[in-house]
Each structure stands twice: as structure tokens, then as C-alpha cells.
Amino acid sequence: MSMNKFPCVLIYSCSDDDPLKTIKLIRDEENIQVSNYEGNILSNCWTIDCKYYTADINLCTSNNLNELSEQFIHNVNAIIILFNIEKSNMIEIMDKCLPVVKQSQAEVLILLSEKKIDEMSTNVNSNTIFEWCRKNNFELIVLDEIADEMDTTGIERVRQALYAHHWPNLKAKCQITHPSTKAVIEDTVINSQLSGELSDLKMDTEQDTDLFSEMFEVDNDFFKTIDKVRKLKEKISAMPDEERKDAAEKALTESWKAFFGEDVDF
């Protein structure tokens, strides 16, 4: 398959941050090979090789969204927007990315900040950023945020979101149709830190509850389950900290019941 046929991750900078730096962080490599995909698009080919599948994808950057071809946008499965909270016109700049987001129908949407959002040192109200993420189904990730035992943050969270996506060209190493064994739980929930993904959840609408119930249908395979977890989080991300605890407890309880049965003790 030609490199131009691989699904793509578009990394676009709304700030002075270099997208190539983000690609190096994702790959955890300082020396990467970059080629010209088409037009003003630079690309780095990356083979995702995890326990369950392999997939060849392109990590791409462009400095002009207006020059992206329809074919390229069609191949975009994930979009990562780099932003600087200290810029006063940040929301306006981010809004200019939305036409490409909608045209691409990308399922992994990440707003990536170099620094933690501090209300006292920014020109943009933090709630405005959270609302933008909620409205446009983006996940806000901060690079310098420190993870706790139940959460994944920074570039590790970016990698996790990319690993969890069901890439159209993935080659499965095994078939999982009913994740009910302890070994699978350890790999998909603990090692992938699925509990960390669920820690930001808040189920407060009928639509979210329906999606949560659907997520644990017994005929779902591994990739669909992980993908629905991510979509559920995106729908209700960026909620205040005080509202997350009850939702996280409910989500984790239902997760264990789905995997181990109703009789499990908590």
C-alpha cells in the first residue's frame, strides 16, 4: 500500500509550537524522517505495534489548512491542535480548524496545551476553553500535567488515544469477541489505564447513559469497546473536578460488572 493511502493524524499548530516536536514526542524519538506527503504537508510514517494489532499511519503537519486536498482530508482519522492559552484570540484561531474537523469526520480529536491552564495567568477564560472542547468533542490534554495512579496525562494520554482508535488498515494479532477473562481485563483496563479514561466521566444525559449501556454489550469486540469509551469521554469532557468523582465510581463499577458479572464484590 502506498504511504499516501495510509490513514493520517493531522497535527496543526495554532501557536508558535512546532508540530514536528509533537511528532517526536509521540514516537519518543529525536531523529525522525519527514517526507513530503503532498503540497505543503509534511509526513512521518509510523507503525503502531501493540499487543492486539499493527497499523501503518502517517503523522502529518501543515501550515495552511486551506490548501489541504479532499483526498488527504478523507484519510485523516485523528486531529491534534496545538494551542497557547496565553493568546487572547486563541478561540478565534481554533475555530478556523473546525471546517477541516467536520469534513474529515476524524474520531480522535485532541486539543494539546504545552502548559497547564492557569486562570490567573491567561488572557482567555479557562471555562471558555472547556466549553469549546465540550461543544466540538475535543479532549483537552496538557503536556506538563502530572498523572496520578488512576490517570494518564500528557503525551502518554495522546499515545493512548491513538492506540485505542480502530484504524481502518489495522492488522489484528488476535480476535477478542467477549473480554471476560482476568488476563484480558488486566491488559485492556489496567495496562491501558482504561480506569484513567473513565475518571473524567460524568453521565448526566439520557444520550450518554444509552451510549454507556451500549458500550458493554457482550457481543462488542475489544476495539469497539475501547472506541466507545473514548467517544463517551469526549461527549462529557472538561467538566469541573467536583462533578467527576460520582461519575467515575459509577463507570468503574459498571465496567467490572460487565467483565466479571453482577455478583462481583466492590
Side-chain angles (χ1 to χ4, degrees):
M1 179 183 291
S2 169
M3 183 186 74
N4 285 27
K5 299 295 184 180
F6 294 160
C8 300
V9 178
L10 174 60
I11 304 172
Y12 180 75
S13 179
C14 289
S15 64
D16 297 328
D17 295 330
D18 185 1
L20 292 179
K21 177 183 176 181
T22 302
I23 292 178
K24 293 178 181 179
L25 288 174
I26 291 174
R27 298 203 53 175
D28 194 21
E29 295 180 13
E30 184 59 34
N31 299 316
I32 60 173
Q33 293 185 346
V34 179
S35 60
N36 182 264
Y37 184 97
E38 66 177 32
N40 65 355
I41 302 172
L42 297 178
S43 175
N44 172 260
C45 185
W46 181 36
T47 298
I48 296 179
D49 188 355
C50 65
K51 182 178 179 66
Y52 296 101
Y53 73 89
T54 61
D56 292 318
I57 68 173
N58 287 318
L59 301 173
C60 301
T61 72
S62 174
N63 56 17
N64 192 336
L65 297 181
N66 295 324
E67 296 182 2
L68 302 180
S69 69
E70 291 186 4
Q71 180 61 46
F72 172 76
I73 295 176
H74 176 74
N75 284 337
V76 172
N77 279 230
I79 295 177
I80 301 174
I81 297 177
L82 312 182
F83 82 110
N84 186 344
I85 188 64
E86 295 179 355
K87 286 191 174 183
S88 59
N89 63 337
M90 200 70 259
I91 296 296
E92 179 181 347
I93 299 175
M94 287 155 50
D95 281 343
K96 294 181 180 179
C97 303
L98 295 180
V100 173
V101 173
K102 295 177 181 178
Q103 187 178 352
S104 70
Q105 297 183 337
E107 294 187 356
V108 180
L109 302 174
I110 295 173
L111 188 64
L112 189 61
S113 174
E114 181 79 22
K115 301 177 180 178
K116 186 176 181 180
I117 298 177
D118 186 349
E119 184 69 33
M120 299 302 294
S121 61
T122 63
N123 295 317
V124 181
N125 187 297
S126 60
N127 288 333
T128 304
I129 295 294
F130 298 148
E131 176 60 21
W132 189 93
C133 289
R134 185 200 64 77
K135 180 179 179 181
N136 298 296
N137 296 320
F138 271 75
E139 177 181 356
L140 175 62
I141 297 177
V142 180
L143 286 179
D144 70 354
E145 189 171 5
I146 300 176
D148 58 29
E149 294 181 355
M150 294 293 291
D151 205 357
T152 304
T153 60
I155 202 63
E156 287 298 330
R157 173 60 199 138
V158 175
R159 292 194 195 101
Q160 189 179 84
L162 295 178
Y163 285 148
H165 179 58
H166 192 177
W167 300 98
N169 64 334
L170 67 80
K171 297 179 180 178
K173 295 181 179 180
C174 59
Q175 182 66 31
I176 300 176
T177 58
H178 190 356
S180 58
T181 66
K182 185 175 185 297
V184 173
I185 290 297
E186 290 175 344
D187 286 333
T188 62
V189 179
I190 299 175
N191 292 346
S192 295
Q193 295 183 320
L194 182 57
S195 58
E197 293 189 26
L198 292 172
S199 66
D200 290 337
L201 297 181
K202 181 185 186 306
M203 273 108 19
D204 58 353
T205 67
E206 182 177 352
Q207 182 179 9
D208 294 333
T209 301
D210 291 343
L211 179 59
F212 182 79
S213 300
E214 180 188 7
M215 183 179 71
F216 293 110
E217 290 177 354
V218 295
D219 59 348
N220 278 338
D221 63 21
F222 167 74
F223 300 110
K224 289 181 179 179
T225 300
I226 294 296
D227 193 48
K228 287 181 179 179
V229 169
R230 180 187 58 75
K231 288 181 179 179
L232 180 58
K233 177 181 177 180
E234 289 175 354
K235 282 179 175 290
I236 52 181
S237 63
M239 293 293 177
D241 292 340
E242 62 270 13
E243 296 182 4
R244 294 177 179 174
K245 182 177 180 181
D246 291 341
E249 290 178 353
K250 177 180 178 182
L252 291 175
T253 297
E254 294 302 320
S255 298
W256 286 105
K257 285 183 178 180
F259 291 129
F260 289 119
E262 294 291 334
D263 297 331
V264 64
D265 293 327
F266 297 96

